[in-house]
Every structure is written in structure tokens, then in C-alpha cells.
Amino acid sequence: AITSKCDRMIAPCRRLAESMIRNGLPEEKVTLLPHGIPLPEKVPPFPPIVDGGVRFFYVGRICYVKGLHILLEAFHRLDAPRAELHLIGGAATKGERRYEARLRRRYARDPRITWHGKVRPEEVYKMTEKYHVSSSSAFLEAFGLNISEALAMGKPVLATRNGGAEMQMEDGVTGWLVPSNDVEAMRRKMDEIVHTLHGFDTQLATRAVVPIDRHCRALWEIYEQTLIHHNTQTRP
């Protein structure tokens, strides 16, 4: 239906655009436009790191497609007694709640892992001020809101190559990219971060974020151009 009827498809990441083109959508009908987000009122200083005490964190839904079992197992295997992993978010369906319950049971004896549950969206920025590295282990992500929010707060991001992450961050500059569904690759990168990260230039991260107003202006221009083109093509 999309490939045969749409005048313009707006794709938030290259992988989604490439998928639609492979399925028959003409390339000239695809516009690549990453999403924008509301920015925090202020960007806090990057918190100090003491004796390898890097505080990793995740914000989002607790569900299988986010790959949290990969993230948790990688962190659990990490030999870093002072490191922490904080999980912020909740499960929405019965299946997701069972998934969360299994993960909580499996890692209940690791005191470095803290489950915070779901918080209101307006509280996320405040809650993550004291943490260091955002973590995303999704299998496929058209756009990771948690990645953009972390960058907006001046935090580097550890993420899997899941489609959206590559559009939002630069490997080795605003964070680190690892293969998807690879516990050992995630663990090794966490170990590297624990032993080498001592500070971070928050401006590197904030420059990579698209503000919501800029995104809306770009959308408006695309809508106008598409409408003009459509009217020109259909005019008798």
C-alpha cells in the first residue's frame, strides 16, 4: 500500500529508507529526516567518575525487542565492582511483564543493578543527571528517543548498530557502537569504558541532537513541496 500510493515517505533512519526502497518504493519518493525532540532546560555538568564507578543507564520500555537481556547479561559479566546499571521504564503488556519478571529474578543477586520502574516523561532528564553513559541494546530501532534524550543531556551513548543509533551518534565521538545481539561485544566495550572514561565534553553530545522546532520546520517544508508537486502532477 505504501509503495504504490504514497507521494512522499519520511524515514527517520537510513535502514528504514533502504528497506522501503528494496520493497519497491522509488528512491526519489524517500526523504531522510531524523526526528527532533524537546530539549532540556539546561545541560548539567558531566558527573565525576571515581575509581571506575561508571553509572550506565537505560530509559525506555521493558521488552524483548529492546534487547535488555543482552544489556543485563553483558553488565552482569562485567568485572567492575563499582560500576552500576540503572533501568528506568516499565512493561506494558502481559508478555512484557513476564519478560521483566524473568530478568529481575535472574539478576536479583547483582547489587549493582537497580530497577527504578516507570517515571513520568518530564522527570527523565532530572533523574539521569547523575548518570554517565546511556545504554541501548535494541535489535532494530527506527529512532531511539532514549539516545536523543541522553545526548541532549550531554551523555555519551553505548548502543548496538540497530538502524537509528547510527543516524544519531558518531562512534568514538559521542559514544560507542557495537554489533547487535552480541553479549561479549557489549561486555568488552563496557569494560573499556570503565577503564578509560574519566570525563566527557557534553557539547559533543548536545550538538548531535535535532531540536523539535527545527524538525517541525523541516517537516513543514517537505509537506509544502510535496503538495505543490502533487497538485502539479494531478492538474488537468
Side-chain angles (χ1 to χ4, degrees), residues 3-4 16-26:
T3 58
S4 63
L16 187 58
E18 292 166 356
S19 174
M20 293 305 301
I21 292 169
R22 283 197 304 271
N23 282 277
L25 184 65

Side-chain angles (χ1 to χ4, degrees), residues 23-223:
N23 282 277
L25 184 65
E27 188 172 353
E28 63 272 15
K29 288 189 174 184
V30 180
T31 297
L32 192 64
L33 181 68
H35 291 314
I37 66 165
L39 300 180
E41 294 181 1
K42 64 176 182 177
V43 178
F46 193 72
I49 301 173
V50 180
D51 296 333
V54 175
R55 293 188 286 271
F56 297 92
F57 67 98
Y58 165 82
V59 179
R61 278 175 54 206
I62 308 299
C63 59
Y64 183 87
V65 296
K66 299 297 185 181
L68 290 178
H69 51 289
I70 303 296
L71 174 63
L72 280 159
E73 182 62 21
F75 182 82
H76 182 62
R77 296 183 188 180
L78 180 65
D79 184 14
R82 295 182 62 87
E84 301 173 7
L85 174 60
H86 296 264
L87 298 123
I88 304 167
T93 67
K94 288 183 179 179
E96 291 174 0
R97 288 191 287 271
R98 287 195 296 267
Y99 175 70
E100 179 180 357
R102 287 197 300 270
L103 294 179
R104 283 178 177 262
R105 287 194 301 268
R106 180 174 177 83
Y107 302 104
R109 295 187 178 182
D110 192 332
R112 303 171 301 164
I113 298 172
T114 303
W115 297 80
H116 294 275
K118 190 174 182 179
V119 301
R120 291 182 298 180
E122 59 269 22
E123 295 176 350
V124 170
Y125 283 141
K126 182 66 177 177
M127 192 168 186
T128 58
E129 279 188 4
K130 57 186 177 183
Y131 302 145
H132 299 113
V133 178
S134 175
S135 307
S136 175
S137 50
F139 298 124
L140 177 62
E141 192 90 84
F143 175 79
L145 177 61
N146 58 330
I147 293 176
S148 278
E149 288 181 339
L151 293 173
M153 285 289 285
K155 313 289 186 184
V157 179
L158 169 62
T160 50
R161 295 184 180 274
N162 55 40
E166 298 94 308
M167 283 290 295
Q168 296 170 264
M169 50 182 288
E170 184 178 354
D171 190 21
V173 179
T174 55
W176 309 267
L177 291 166
V178 298
S180 180
N181 199 26
D182 191 331
V183 170
E184 184 56 24
M186 179 73 75
R187 186 206 64 80
R188 286 197 303 268
K189 187 55 69 173
M190 284 181 161
D191 184 71
E192 177 186 322
I193 293 169
V194 165
H195 287 92
T196 61
L197 184 65
H198 302 292
F200 182 72
D201 181 358
T202 58
Q203 291 187 3
L204 289 175
T206 56
R207 285 200 296 263
V209 181
V210 179
I212 189 66
D213 57 339
R214 189 200 308 168
H215 176 74
C216 289
R217 285 196 298 270
L219 278 177
W220 181 273
E221 291 175 3
I222 294 169
Y223 294 155

